[in-house]
Amino acid sequence: MKICILGGTGFIGHYLTNYFSQQFHQVKALGRQAFAPDFDLTSTLNGQDLVIMLAGANVGERWSKQHKQALWDSRLNTNARLAQALSQCKQPPARIFSASAIGIYPQNSCTNLIDETCTEIGEGVLGQLGKAWEEASLKLLPKPLILRFGVVLGKNGGALAKMLPPFKMGLGGPVAGGQQCFSWIHLEDLARIMSFAIEHPELEGPINVTAPNPVSNAVFGASLAKALHRPFWLPLPEWQLKLMFGEGAQVLTHSSAIVPQRLLDAGFEFTYPQIDDALKACV
Ligand code: NDP
């Protein structure tokens, strides 16, 4: 199969490129240059079987005014450009998988799980950004598969790479009280979900790409400390988080208890359903 991954040079895209290449798919992975005005995106997409759209500026950084604008532009402008290029293809791709995030949902607690039947949108920036992002994805091709990623855990990158240094130094502890729920997915399962979706063309619309067992931030941190054989004791208060990340601190304080009900109903089996096993495999 011919697969084009846009936003293919980042943490997830890089892993998917290797994963699909090993399965003998023909993979083209492109970074932000794919959306430059002089890049011939239409020819690149013409004749592809599947497009995976992952492009987007990283939400896990300090939200300066400029970065906050980039969060929107890198999702909405790129999708508009992609829609235009797809509309000009003589042989358009049969399917598109488009990234989204569980930040689209309203906040909820670990005892009150949310699945894809929830149509409510979160009130904050993450909810509004998620809504606009998915609306843009719906204009790309008929019946897109929208992947609402939880926090993706893998080796050498993503959120875990940012969390590891203090934990490795033995300075891990609960963040902002630790009660907020943390919905996560192991990168290997994420790739397996993409393969599963390729084999199930009837899958369309939003699916939660999370493990079936979300945990509180405190349980997550204790599990990470245990995997590293380090103590878990030093709380990181919310005010300190805000000093570090500005408004972006909400990425770590947002409480999301999400389950991948549609995947479970479709028969997908997770290799890493539990956080302890997922983290042991990552560190
Ligand atoms: P990375 O930050 O590692 O990679 C981002 C990708 O998007 C890169 O290919 C990058 O290209 C491209 N990109 C960045 N800024 C722009 C821009 N302004 N215009 C066009 N392209 C741009 O992200 P991940 O691989 O971790 O995530 C991929 C997608 O999944 C993102 O949209 C992210 O929001 C979403 N997601 C990820 C989660 C996670 O835990 N990792 C959780 C929830 C959602 P270049 O290399 O050229 O800079």
Side-chain angles (χ1 to χ4, degrees):
M1 180 180 253
K2 290 185 191 165
I3 303 175
C4 179
I5 308 181
L6 300 169
T9 49
F11 169 59
I12 298 174
H14 187 69
Y15 186 90
L16 288 178
T17 302
N18 288 334
Y19 180 84
F20 285 131
S21 300
Q22 280 166 14
Q23 295 181 353
F24 306 106
H25 293 296
Q26 281 179 47
V27 185
K28 256 188 222 174
L30 297 163
R32 67 183 67 207
Q33 85 274 15
F35 303 99
D38 56 348
F39 186 87
D40 188 355
L41 189 54
T42 303
S43 303
T44 304
L45 298 171
N46 206 40
Q48 295 290 311
D49 299 301
L50 169 66
V51 174
I52 301 177
M53 172 59 165
L54 300 173
N58 204 304
V59 292
E61 288 175 16
R62 189 180 168 77
W63 288 12
S64 61
K65 200 175 165 199
Q66 198 183 10
H67 189 67
K68 211 169 148 185
Q69 189 59 45
L71 295 178
W72 291 83
D73 293 347
S74 62
R75 290 171 173 80
L76 305 191
N77 298 353
T78 51
N79 269 303
R81 171 87 185 89
L82 176 55
Q84 183 203 30
L86 285 167
S87 70
Q88 289 167 355
C89 280
K90 286 204 175 87
Q91 216 189 317
R95 289 184 82 193
I96 188 154
F97 299 171
S98 191
S100 175
I102 56 168
I104 192 170
Y105 290 117
Q107 299 208 54
N108 64 324
S109 70
C110 285
T111 50
N112 173 26
L113 301 175
I114 281 182
D115 66 18
E116 295 90 346
T117 56
C118 172
T119 52
E120 216 181 310
I121 301 292
E123 277 178 6
V125 177
L126 294 174
Q128 296 311 307
L129 177 62
K131 179 172 182 276
W133 191 10
E134 291 197 2
E135 280 169 0
S137 303
L138 289 171
K139 294 182 188 147
L140 296 173
L141 283 178
K143 302 182 179 177
L145 180 65
I146 297 184
L147 307 157
R148 292 179 175 166
F149 294 137
V151 177
V152 183
L153 304 176
K155 290 179 183 168
N156 311 320
L160 205 50
K162 290 180 181 153
M163 293 176 200
L164 274 175
F167 275 83
K168 280 188 173 166
M169 286 191 281
L171 301 174
V175 173
Q179 293 311 303
Q180 68 278 29
C181 200
F182 185 84
S183 294
W184 55 276
I185 177 83
H186 190 289
L187 186 50
E188 186 183 318
D189 272 336
L190 180 153
R192 292 179 57 247
I193 288 167
M194 300 266 189
S195 278
F196 183 84
I198 289 173
E199 287 157 18
H200 290 78
E202 71 282 4
L203 272 178
E204 58 171 275
I207 57 167
N208 296 335
V209 180
T210 62
N213 297 297
V215 290
S216 70
N217 168 275
V219 169
F220 171 81
S223 175
L224 180 57
K226 192 167 76 178
L228 291 164
H229 307 290
R230 295 287 192 279
F232 180 67
W233 64 283
L234 187 64
L236 181 61
E238 191 167 348
W239 66 263
Q240 214 168 333
L241 207 61
K242 283 186 176 155
L243 276 183
M244 291 158 73
F245 294 103
E247 226 186 308
Q250 62 190 279
V251 174
L252 285 163
T253 58
H254 190 92
S255 186
S256 277
I258 309 297
V259 279
Q261 199 55 50
R262 290 194 62 205
L263 283 168
L264 294 171
D265 290 347
F268 181 78
E269 288 180 18
F270 287 80
T271 303
Y272 297 103
Q274 302 292 346
I275 192 66
D276 285 351
D277 297 330
L279 286 172
K280 261 186 232 151
C282 290
V283 298

